[in-house]
Amino acid sequence: MISLLKNVNLYNPNPMGIKDVLVAGGKIADIFDVSDNGHHNIPDNWPVEVIDFNGAYLVPGFIDSHAHITGGGGEAGFSTQVPPVSLSEFTQVGVTTVVGLLGTDDTTRSIANLISKVYGLREEGMSAYCWTGGYHYPLTTLMGSAKADITFLEPVIGIGEFAISDHRSSQPTFEEVIKLASEAHVAGLLTGKAGIIHFHLGDGERRLELIERAISETEIPARVFNPTHVNRNKPLFEDSCKLLAHGCYIDITAFPEGTAEPGLEACDAIEIAVKKGLPLDKITVSSDGGGCLPCFDQQGELQHMDFGRASTLLETLQATLRKNIALESILPMFTSNVATLLRLHSKGKIVRNNDADMLVLNNKFEITDVMIKGRWHKRDNTTVVSGTFE
């Protein structure tokens, strides 16, 4: 498929003005200034699909670095295991690349099952990767160690989500944490992959103590330590913001509306970061799609539960824009910042030779079209590609 997307208001994710974008072979072949004739020297015999978007926004596809693609949950019995997430639950809301993981249940779920789901999503047309391990130490792995999984299994890019400051964690020691961080870092050096450890943060009073100590007492680079759910309570978010000065990336969770208490809605956390003048290029946003979002009392008893949905990424973007924060300040948190952290070099930006993963947004910032690697998955508000069993 060769497509010419005409008259798009391009954010790459920086604002570039009205452009024409040529897509060929699943890649962004060229980006043109709008000209009078509009042909851009494209041969007349090329079978080009030409679409005039009349000034609609064209932005990079979302990269969701934290999703339970095989289903999460199970913390209130086997009947509370969340089902696997289907293709369109990601693609129709703008997620063009996803990174899957295991959480609390790294016993009945396995890395083998996780990787097979990654391959399945790839066969259905989207880009997918995964973390190895889960909440607990020793890690759940396929090849006996995290280092081996990252080195020899192409979809595996790091360790995650490894739980700290949470009653569901394995209560890891400092020595165990830095051993895993070292494995992730060295495997990343060997392979060119992300090589990071993606930390689940609970509501425990120790918060980021293990990460802070690792940064100050070891030679492991700060970027290796990547905490998520940092907006789950206000003191944790305040401490997490301090990590940015050391070179850490922090990951805000786009909780479903009304479920963030006692923490911060993702849009509010982003607003605080903008107003404080924090390094926004070190902040990412993920959905926890397919994951269980339980609320426990002081004794660890489940009070109520919800589950994560990839749609919260778009909802967060829209809610943050309503706070009069510029689109170019927000978009990188869903796109280029994630790609940089994860070393996904052909993702996250609309530039020549990158993968053609792009979203078209109308003037209400609703997604009307989704393209993944040059193929339409959603076109003019209609689903074009569905998962095998949808």
Side-chain angles (χ1 to χ4, degrees):
M1 174 70 72
I2 303 173
S3 300
L4 181 63
L5 315 186
K6 292 179 60 62
N7 296 311
V8 294
N9 188 0
L10 177 61
Y11 279 70
N12 78 341
N14 296 316
M16 304 302 292
I18 301 297
K19 302 288 183 181
D20 292 350
V21 178
L22 181 67
V23 174
K27 297 285 185 178
I28 299 161
D30 215 336
I31 298 171
F32 306 104
D33 291 325
V34 175
S35 62
D36 291 336
N37 59 34
H39 292 301
H40 309 308
N41 297 317
I42 299 171
D44 291 335
N45 62 344
W46 280 19
V48 181
E49 171 195 47
V50 180
I51 306 172
D52 192 335
F53 283 102
N54 298 305
Y57 296 95
L58 185 71
V59 306
F62 298 152
I63 304 171
D64 192 349
S65 65
H66 185 116
H68 295 268
I69 58 177
T70 57
E75 288 131 320
F78 295 111
S79 63
T80 62
Q81 290 184 339
V82 181
V85 185
S86 62
L87 176 77
S88 68
E89 290 179 68
F90 291 118
T91 57
Q92 299 307 296
V93 293
V95 177
T96 57
T97 300
V98 69
V99 184
L101 43 69
L102 302 181
T104 310
D105 185 4
D106 47 16
T107 304
T108 72
R109 274 115 169 188
S110 69
I111 299 301
N113 178 229
L114 184 64
I115 291 175
S116 70
K117 178 65 172 177
V118 165
Y119 287 140
L121 290 171
R122 289 182 178 186
E123 288 178 1
E124 291 174 332
M126 75 179 297
S127 294
Y129 302 88
C130 65
W131 307 104
T132 189
Y135 267 31
H136 306 111
Y137 187 91
L139 296 181
T140 298
T141 64
L142 186 61
M143 301 192 67
S145 73
K147 187 188 294 184
D149 279 9
I150 299 167
T151 302
F152 296 114
L153 303 175
E154 180 271 324
V156 179
I157 61 172
I159 297 170
E161 60 175 320
F162 186 71
I164 59 174
S165 299
D166 194 302
H167 66 93
R168 294 164 292 175
S169 77
S170 54
Q171 308 304 312
T173 65
F174 175 69
E175 287 72 22
E176 290 167 344
V177 167
I178 61 174
K179 179 181 184 296
L180 292 181
S182 173
E183 282 198 46
H185 175 52
V186 172
L189 294 176
L190 293 175
T191 61
K193 296 180 181 179
I196 62 178
I197 177 167
H198 184 67
F199 287 94
H200 163 99
L201 265 296
D203 286 309
E205 288 297 321
R206 289 181 291 173
R207 296 195 283 274
L208 297 161
E209 179 184 304
L210 288 170
I211 295 176
E212 294 163 342
R213 187 177 166 192
I215 292 171
S216 65
E217 295 184 23
T218 76
E219 297 77 28
I220 302 170
R223 70 168 295 279
V224 173
F225 303 93
N226 178 225
T228 189
H229 310 323
V230 297
N231 54 315
R232 71 180 305 140
N233 64 63
K234 295 179 177 75
L236 175 61
F237 185 68
E238 290 174 7
D239 286 354
S240 299
C241 289
K242 297 173 185 176
L243 287 180
L244 295 170
H246 296 282
C248 282
Y249 283 71
I250 62 173
D251 187 53
I252 294 170
T253 301
F255 294 115
E257 185 177 2
T259 66
E261 287 293 336
L264 296 162
E265 299 282 354
C267 61
D268 294 330
I270 294 170
E271 182 181 32
I272 290 170
V274 171
K275 288 184 174 179
K276 285 187 173 183
L278 298 176
L280 302 183
D281 62 336
K282 295 292 191 295
I283 297 175
T284 64
V285 182
S286 65
S287 74
D288 209 357
C292 181
L293 302 176
C295 180
F296 297 96
D297 63 17
Q298 292 282 334
Q299 304 304 313
E301 295 292 332
L302 182 69
Q303 300 302 296
H304 58 83
M305 63 187 294
D306 200 342
F307 62 93
R309 297 175 278 279
S311 58
T312 56
L313 292 179
L314 177 61
E315 292 162 8
T316 295
L317 178 74
Q318 294 166 336
T320 310
L321 288 169
R322 288 195 291 271
K323 295 176 176 290
N324 295 316
I325 297 173
L327 179 60
E328 61 265 32
S329 296
I330 311 165
L331 264 181
M333 300 179 189
F334 302 80
T335 59
S336 58
N337 292 358
V338 194
T340 300
L341 174 64
L342 302 186
R343 293 177 173 162
L344 302 177
H345 304 298
S346 65
K347 304 290 185 183
K349 292 184 178 181
I350 301 177
V351 295
R352 285 185 65 182
N353 299 320
N354 263 18
D355 291 343
D357 297 344
M358 301 181 289
L359 316 177
V360 179
L361 310 178
N362 63 21
N363 59 8
K364 296 180 180 179
F365 297 99
E366 300 164 330
I367 295 174
T368 60
D369 302 82
V370 177
M371 175 179 280
I372 304 177
K373 292 183 284 188
R375 180 187 184 191
W376 293 113
H377 279 242
K378 184 177 186 176
R379 178 73 191 95
D380 198 17
N381 285 309
T382 301
T383 300
V384 178
V385 178
S386 297
T388 307
F389 294 102
E390 295 186 81

